[in-house]
Amino acid sequence: MISARLETDVSGLRFRNPVLLAAGTAAYGRELSGVTDLNQLGGIVTKAVSVEQRAGAPAPRVAEFEGGMINAVGLANPGVEKARSDDLPWLAANLRNTRVIVNVVGSRVEDFSEVVSRLEDTPLDAYELNVSCPNTKKGGVEFGADCAVLADLVTRARAATRRPLFVKLSPTLTDIALSARTAVDAGADGISAVNTMPGLLIDTQTRKPKLGFGTGGVSGPGLLPVGLLATWKIRKAVSVPIIGVGGISSADDVVQYFLAGASLVAIGTAALRDPRAPSRIVRDLDRWCSSHNVQRLADLTGGLEWQ
C-alpha cells in the first residue's frame, strides 16, 4: 500500500502519485493492460491524437544504443474519431483514479483546437499539446519555435476547453523559458519538458540509417541532464506545474526532477524496456520519502539549492 505522501494536486486534479506514462509509451492503455496495473500509476499520457488518421514513419521505427534509444514513429495514430468512440471510453472503463492526459498533435495551428473541441465530450482529465511537431504552413518549423505561432495555438486550444492544458516543449528551443512564458501567457496551465532530442544512428554494415525515416528522437538515460536543466530554467520563468520528462529510470531520477522544479514526471523509454518499471519506481519513491523523512514529495518541488 503506497502512502499518502506521494499524493499531489496539480492544476485542480488530484494524482495518487506523480508518476505518469509518457506519450507513446502505452498507446491508449490496452497494450499494457495484461502486463502491468495502470491503476498503480498517477496517470497516463496517451499516444498522439490528430484530426485525421496518420500512418506514421516507415519501419524500422526504433533502435537502441548504449545511452538509450532513438525512434521515428511519425506520430502514427488512428485519428480523433477512433479516440473518441473507442480508446478513451476503454480507459475510462478500466482506470480507477488514474488520470488520463491526451497528447494532441497537428500539422496546422487550427488542428490542435479542433482535436480538443472534438474530444470535449469524452472522459479525460487534461490535454498535452505537442508543439514540437512541424508546422506545415511555416515550412516545417516547430510550432514551439515561433512565439507568435505558439501563442496563437495555445489561445485557440484554451478557447476550446476548460480542462487543464499542458504544453510539451522541445529541448532544442533557443530559449525554452521564453517559450514556456509565452505558452502560459496564452492560457496554458502547465508545461511538459522535454520532448526527445533529434539524432541519427547508422548501421555500419549497410551504411544506412538504422531508422526507416533516417533521423529520429533520442530518449533514455542520456536525456536526463537535458530534461533537468530545461525543468530548472522553466521553473525560474513560470510558476505553473511542470511535468518532467526525459531519462527517468529510478526513484532518484524522479527526486532530481522535483528538486529542479517538477510537480509530476512522465516515464517513457524505461517503461518501453520494462513495462513494470513505473510501478517499481512508485514503490521506490515511497521508500525514499520514508527513509529521508519527507512527509510530502510535493514539498521538494523547486528545492534545488543553486543560484
Side-chain angles (χ1 to χ4, degrees):
M1 182 69 178
I2 302 301
S3 71
R5 61 172 65 93
L6 297 187
E7 292 181 354
T8 187
D9 294 305
V10 175
S11 299
L13 300 173
R14 168 60 61 94
F15 290 80
R16 61 155 55 96
N17 63 66
V19 177
L20 318 177
L21 288 176
T25 302
Y28 304 103
R30 278 191 182 92
E31 288 77 355
L32 287 185
S33 60
V35 180
T36 188
D37 184 3
L38 296 176
N39 288 295
Q40 294 180 358
L41 305 179
I44 174 174
V45 185
T46 71
K47 186 178 181 66
V49 177
S50 56
V51 175
E52 302 293 341
Q53 179 179 3
R54 294 179 64 142
R61 293 178 169 183
V62 176
E64 290 191 86
F65 66 103
E66 187 175 349
M69 62 173 272
I70 184 171
N71 83 87
V73 177
L75 303 174
N77 75 92
V80 67
E81 283 309 309
K82 184 175 183 300
R84 285 184 75 256
S85 64
D86 187 17
D87 298 314
L88 294 177
W90 184 90
L91 277 172
N94 287 274
L95 297 186
R96 301 183 304 275
N97 299 320
T98 295
R99 296 298 186 180
V100 176
I101 302 174
V102 174
N103 184 273
V104 180
V105 297
S107 300
R108 307 168 303 158
V109 165
E110 51 267 37
D111 288 349
F112 292 81
S113 56
E114 182 175 347
V115 170
V116 168
S117 63
R118 287 166 69 174
L119 292 180
E120 275 296 275
D121 62 348
T122 58
L124 60 94
D125 296 297
Y127 300 96
E128 180 182 74
L129 308 180
N130 180 3
V131 299
S132 304
C133 38
N135 181 354
T136 57
K137 285 188 176 180
K138 290 282 188 176
V141 176
E142 289 183 7
F143 291 98
D146 184 320
C147 285
V149 172
L150 177 60
D152 184 24
L153 185 156
V154 176
T155 299
R156 289 170 182 256
R158 177 76 284 160
T161 184
R162 298 181 67 178
R163 288 170 168 147
L165 287 175
F166 291 86
V167 175
K168 190 170 189 177
L169 298 177
S170 167
T172 63
L173 293 171
T174 303
D175 189 342
I176 198 167
L178 175 60
S179 296
R181 283 197 301 270
T182 299
V184 172
D185 289 345
D189 299 283
I191 302 294
S192 293
V194 289
N195 213 319
T196 56
M197 287 280 290
L200 171 70
L201 284 180
I202 299 170
D203 185 325
T204 55
Q205 300 302 313
T206 64
R207 301 186 184 184
K208 295 180 180 179
K210 288 190 175 183
L211 299 181
F213 184 73
T215 59
V218 178
S219 62
L223 195 60
L224 179 66
V226 177
L228 288 170
L229 179 59
T231 298
W232 177 75
K233 287 181 176 180
I234 293 167
R235 170 54 58 222
K236 291 179 66 178
V238 297
S239 59
V240 299
I242 301 169
I243 302 176
V245 195
I248 297 170
S249 58
S250 70
D252 187 78
D253 296 339
V254 175
V255 173
Q256 289 190 65
Y257 264 106
F258 268 72
L259 291 172
S263 298
L264 299 167
V265 296
I267 299 175
T269 300
L272 289 172
R273 285 179 167 169
D274 178 5
R276 296 179 178 85
S279 296
R280 184 177 63 250
I281 289 172
V282 171
R283 294 192 297 271
D284 290 346
L285 264 179
D286 195 39
R287 285 192 285 265
W288 188 94
C289 288
S290 178
S291 65
H292 289 77
N293 198 31
V294 172
Q295 301 304 310
R296 293 180 66 254
L297 183 64
D299 293 339
L300 297 183
T301 296
L304 177 64
E305 297 180 1
W306 179 41
Q307 298 184 359

